[in-house]
Amino acid sequence: MQCYTELTPPTAVTHSLSLPFLSASANNLIVAKTSLLQVFSLKSIVTTDNHTSVIQGGNAVTLIGSNEKDQKHQRNERLHTTKLVLVSQYELSGTVTALTRVKTLRSKSGGEAILVALKDAKLSLVEWNPERYSISTISIHYYEREDLQGSPWAPELGHCANILTVDPSSRCAALKFGSRNVAILPFHQSGDDLVMDGYDSDSAESQGKHKSHQPQAANGANHAAQTPYAASFVLSLLTLDPSLTHPVHLAFLHEYREPTIGILSSQVACSGSLLHERRDPLFYTVFTLDLEQRASTTLLSVTKLPYDLHTVIPLALPVGGALLVGTNEIIHVDQAGKTNGVAVNEFAKQCSSFILTDQSDLGLRLEGSVLEQMNPQNGDMLIILPTGNLAVLRFKIDGRSVSGLSIQPTLQGKGERLVLAGASCISTVGRGRVFVGSEDAESIILGWSRKFDKAKKQRARADMNADVDEILSDAEEDLDDDDDLYSGAILEEKILVQPSYSTMSNSFDEYLFRVHDSLMSLAPIRDLAFGGFTQKRDEYDHLWQESEVERGLMITSGRGSAGALNALKREISPLVASLTSVGGTYGIWSICVKPQNANDTPAAHDGEIANFEYDRFMITTSSSETGGEFSNVYSMIHGSLEEIKGSDFDPSTGATVEVGMLNNGTQIVQILGNEIRTYDAEFSLAQIFPLSDDDSETGPKVLTASFSDPFVLLVKDGGSIMMVKGDDSGDLEEVERKGNLLMTKYISGTLYEDSNDVFRLESNGNDEFEGGNVLMFLLTFDGGLQIYRMSNLDEPVYVTEGLSFLPPFLTTEFTVRRNAAKETLTEILIAELGDNISKSPYLILRSATNELTIYQAYQSPIEGSSKSALRFLKISNPYLPKMTGESLVEDNQERIQSMRILPNVGGYSSVFVPGRSPCFIIKAASYLPQIINLKSKGVRALSTFHRPDLRYGFTYVEYDETLYKAQLSPECDYSIGWVTKRIWSGEEVRALDYHERSDRYVLGVIGKVSFKLPDDELHPDWSKENTNFLPQVEQGCIKLLEPTNWTIVDSYDLDLAEIIISIKTMDLETSEHSHNRRPLIVVGTALLRGEDLPTQGRIYVFDIIEVVPEPDHPGTDRKLKLIAKEEVKGAVTALSEIGTEGFLLAAQGQKCMVRGLKDDGTLLPVAFIDMQCYVSVVKELRETGLCLMGDATKGLWFTGYSEDPYQLRLFSKTSQHIEVITAEFLPHDQQLYIIAIDADSNLHVLQFDPESPKSLTGQRLLHLSTFHIGAYPSTSTLLAPPPSPLSETESNPPFPRILLTSSTGSLSLLTSLSGPAYRTLSALQSYLLTTLPHPLGLNPRAYRNANENLGVESAGRGGFVGRGVLDGTLLKRWMELGSWKRGEGEARCGEEGAVVRGLIARVSGGCGI
């Protein structure tokens, strides 16, 4: 009984697509990350060469991290930069295999549709629905039926490569699936014969007036005329041509009147070892399709093509035809069948007799490369090689035909490595820009510009300086390439291309490349370690407090030059500059005030020049031991808090409720319980504004206040509200309330200045006074939302009564259900979330249980009108607080401060939520809002803190009455919901472990070097090797990393072709006589010497010793010392500590052997077991002698190790063959469960139960269930029992958990559940399956159910005898439901809401790791 939950989303980009999706004029980018679909919009900004300022609307906006020196140069060079802004994202119950664009006759948004191919053979057609601000599934097409599979001996669909291609005119799409089946999906187009039978083409021109498209359930059904597609059909490629027995690739071609497809195939299987018999076996054939008759006609065929061609790329004019890309060459075929090719290395001539232009001196390797058109005028194409290097493919065009090809690689200059690894996809996102997606590195937007003559460049710069607004207009994407000329100043981000030779077009001399934006990637994760790390503090190092070393999760990521280490934590640990004890303080406000006259500079203190940008004062409110409340004001000019004496500020006036600024930041406003006080920049009292009620002298006290210059909103404890407005002279006056504002009681309210008119709310009446576009959001006692414009308070401009029901879509038409469950809301807030690239307002709700709900405002079009209506979309938010609200109330009935808007903290416009579960709400431009806890036992109050020695920081008071001054680490990233710190190494890290005694990390680094055959007397023919195109082999190196400054302090180089497979820290016995034990580093390697020589392995044992450090480098006081080195037969593929005597277990070749370290530095074998196969994983249940051994074909072995006598014994094995990649023990409730994950991403739950009759007295492991995780696994680690958010008793023990990593960059958690918890969550999962909407029309149950893919063999031997694994990723979507739906789900589960939330928090890793 287990639950699988994804902790972080996949970050490896597998597919991308650029198209107008949100509207006909939009420029959007669709990105697929295995099972995650993201929709981006592209935003153009102008940045300077030092990236410290952004030009918005003609004004310079300072970015975080820039200083005064940087700002002096901010107008030297201006760069037109494209940034990604996330619109929405969707977790899919499937694996995306292809993305293509389809232009339908009509769509809800006016933009184009997306055709998504999913594993194994499914197609989903989706469009954008502006009414719901989400994607809408038009249809889903399923081609996985058994009658479509062909012969019984045909390979399974999952073992075949699927290819999706769409006709450039969107007349049809073709999906090649299986070995040689192709599904044709026609689309209705204007003027096409398919547009018949009552289809009204005129109605397609009226956008928004048609009905929603309903998905079609079956292929071949009679589709109604309103659907954009016709009935699909499946053909065998053999019906097109009997010679298409081995298809390689296919694609629809441009510039044909009928749908025309080019197919690259062969009649025999291609093989490099059979070139002497099957030389040039491929042929390229072009067919035109007749969709009505379901027939085809052959137009041309090109035979005897090189065997290594693998991709067909259709080309538009002016080039036309198709490009055939191979490993060693590139060939162009035009519409008449004329061919031109270029060889990129010397193997092209050896492998093929095809006539090619010789450029073999380039020495390029094209396998895994991607190509995209750079220049539509001359057809130049950008080539991204597997190493990340760039090259340009050029065409020599004579008239309308291509007469030659050439490739120009990039120069080895400073900016050469902008792309650090190979690309998985590439898409054009604008003129001179492409999105480069990668599974091995960060995905980037790569831009380029052309170099012109000096006079033209100067004219372009003059035009830009004359009118910056024109650069930022909506037509930027259509401007000439002159916009990008200004990138020429960035020398470190250039790549220069060699000038073209005489036979090519010489319209330009060079391309200038630079990176516009990037998406963070943690993929692929190869290894992990739990260790300590500290945060680097370069600036103001003397101010920071010394703290103990933190522990976190360290993972490896990237391949090649993109290799890196990443430190991950669940909570924010800020950089603390100072801490002070403040007794009784529960409220703090930092104040940045400037004088009314800018020339009236306040007196300088200690030589400091006053800067109005920084905070100058701080107001605190505290409670005394006698129960009294008072406020104090402090000065921060000297860098420390000094109480101001002799001012008009009166501490005895009572507790401060809120502090804000009016009159353009020149007037300080202090809100007290029964009055308002205003001060000038030197705290001279300007006005006392009483808040007395008409019926009493005191009146109700103020609970909360909200500021938006010139207004102040006050919410009182009786449910009434009061508005105050400041005039130009600084005097406050009450704003008259009318109508509903007098009769309605309110819980909370907030003001927001809609300067960008996002909400587009217009008042029906006449404005009584000029109030700008300030909106007032009010939460009523009945749970409704009312929005007023402060310029007219007669009637609300927006009213909805269903806010407390928390619906997925909040509209004015929302119908309140009778007796439906409501959420008890306590606070409402409108705040801008984002960074320097993009900010937008979000509606944030806080409940009585401290749960947070986030809504995004959007405009929904009104049918039959050009206007739009305001709606709110609930943002997916799986956050659950550490403690429930009931426990908070029981804690002394303490005062909880309201949510705090932080305009600028570490570069983010964010919100902080104080309390026992303090957290930040942070959003980056290309990610959703994330809620991350602050590492603290509880925060009473928090405020921004901006000083010269602590820029854009914050200060907060904990419940232990300690005041902290801190800031977010500038080296950390918060965009995925985890605190991530990237440590670049520039090399690929294969293995990793932490040595706790020395506080050092040991890395297994892999590099590639050229291999040349050595001189050997036994092989005299090796000396005859004459080639400059040498193969690349891997070479390992062991490095010691110091975690304070993250520098390499020592290294140990391995032999050529020796790679590191495993690194483990083990407590080994170092002496046979004294039996002393010491933590040592054990390294397992493999020496791969080629196919004709056996693989060897080595076991290294290192100690980390203390040495005299280098001057000014205290971290160099540790070195690696080699203690033992053992050569063995076969690769050492896995290592583990075993037993209680300090021995190690090594998987070497086809054996697993227990070895002990002797005094002479040798490793003595004491026991072994013959596995007869390659061993992929070895694990021991710590100090028990119980071992897991997984091999590549047979499955999992469960063995036991005994020390008297020394022996390894086989206890049990799996009954079916499993290609085990990783495995781990999962003991729970006195039962021993075993988790194994195979190469097909299926998670198998096994159990060792000798008492079960199905286990044959323990000889067979019981196969309980199988669960598809959708990502290729890399590691599995059993975690220590975590602290539970609920009280831990015998009836509520902690759940054991396994942390899983994958090649997609995602982290997952497998939690073992008790019987009652499993039944509750299982009932909840069944409810969510039928209640939640599932993107693309996919079935989560079918996606996770991998049992049917395992064949009949396992079922015949007892099958699956346990309960299935629960989908925690689906359970986390519990918060997406409305409150009434949650109530129904709780009734279905038979549990209260607090219990359900607690269980979801435990399976989603909410308790930390």
Side-chain angles (χ1 to χ4, degrees), residues 4-12 33-35 521-525 528 555 568 976 978 1269-1275 1299-1309:
Y4 173 86
T5 309
E6 287 188 0
L7 300 180
T8 62
T11 57
K33 302 177 179 178
T34 310
S35 59
S521 175
L522 300 178
I525 302 176
L528 62 83
I555 65 172
L568 276 72
I976 63 172
W978 285 55
I1269 63 175
Y1272 190 84
S1274 55
T1275 66
L1299 181 64
L1300 305 173
T1301 62
S1302 70
S1303 61
T1304 62
S1306 63
L1307 297 175
S1308 305
L1309 200 65

Side-chain angles (χ1 to χ4, degrees), residues 983-994:
I983 306 155
W984 291 104
S985 66
E987 296 177 285
E988 183 175 339
V989 183
R990 290 282 180 88
L992 165 72
D993 209 353
Y994 177 69

Side-chain angles (χ1 to χ4, degrees), residues 43-47 79-83 433 514 516-517:
K43 181 177 182 180
S44 296
I45 61 175
V46 172
T47 58
L79 307 173
H80 180 203
T81 305
T82 300
K83 297 292 184 179
R433 298 163 194 84
R514 67 185 180 96
H516 289 241
D517 200 1

Side-chain angles (χ1 to χ4, degrees), residues 17-19 27-29 42 82 84 372 427-436 445-446 477:
L17 177 66
S18 177
L19 78 164
N27 185 14
N28 300 114
L29 177 70
L42 298 170
T82 300
L84 292 173
E372 184 68 14
S427 300
T428 300
V429 294
R431 182 183 294 273
R433 298 163 194 84
V434 293
F435 173 79
V436 182
I445 292 183
L446 183 67
E477 298 299 332

Side-chain angles (χ1 to χ4, degrees), residues 513-659:
F513 290 85
R514 67 185 180 96
V515 175
H516 289 241
D517 200 1
S518 63
L519 293 178
M520 187 190 69
S521 175
L522 300 178
I525 302 176
R526 292 182 176 271
D527 204 355
L528 62 83
F530 290 93
F533 57 90
T534 56
Q535 295 174 343
K536 187 177 180 181
R537 300 157 179 176
D538 294 330
E539 206 173 14
Y540 317 113
D541 187 69
H542 61 283
L543 297 175
W544 301 112
Q545 297 291 319
E546 295 294 334
S547 59
E548 60 182 9
V549 178
E550 294 186 79
R551 294 186 65 87
L553 176 64
M554 187 73 71
I555 65 172
T556 66
S557 67
R559 286 191 176 96
S561 300
L565 293 180
N566 302 271
L568 276 72
K569 294 185 296 182
R570 293 303 304 267
E571 297 178 326
I572 295 177
S573 298
L575 299 179
V576 177
S578 65
L579 53 91
T580 309
S581 178
V582 286
T585 300
Y586 61 84
I588 52 175
W589 295 268
S590 298
I591 301 173
C592 176
V593 62
K594 55 185 178 181
Q596 291 185 358
N597 189 347
N599 297 323
D600 296 338
T601 304
H605 298 267
D606 294 345
E608 177 186 338
I609 299 177
N611 192 329
F612 306 133
E613 174 191 357
Y614 299 115
D615 296 333
R616 298 179 55 212
F617 304 103
M618 177 181 290
I619 294 179
T620 66
T621 182
S622 309
S623 60
S624 62
E625 297 180 355
T626 60
E629 295 179 325
F630 58 93
S631 300
N632 292 317
V633 61
Y634 299 89
S635 172
M636 298 186 295
I637 301 297
H638 293 164
S640 60
L641 296 180
E642 298 180 0
E643 187 173 358
I644 298 179
K645 303 293 185 180
S647 67
D648 294 340
F649 188 87
D650 187 3
S652 62
T653 54
T656 301
V657 177
E658 189 62 73
V659 176

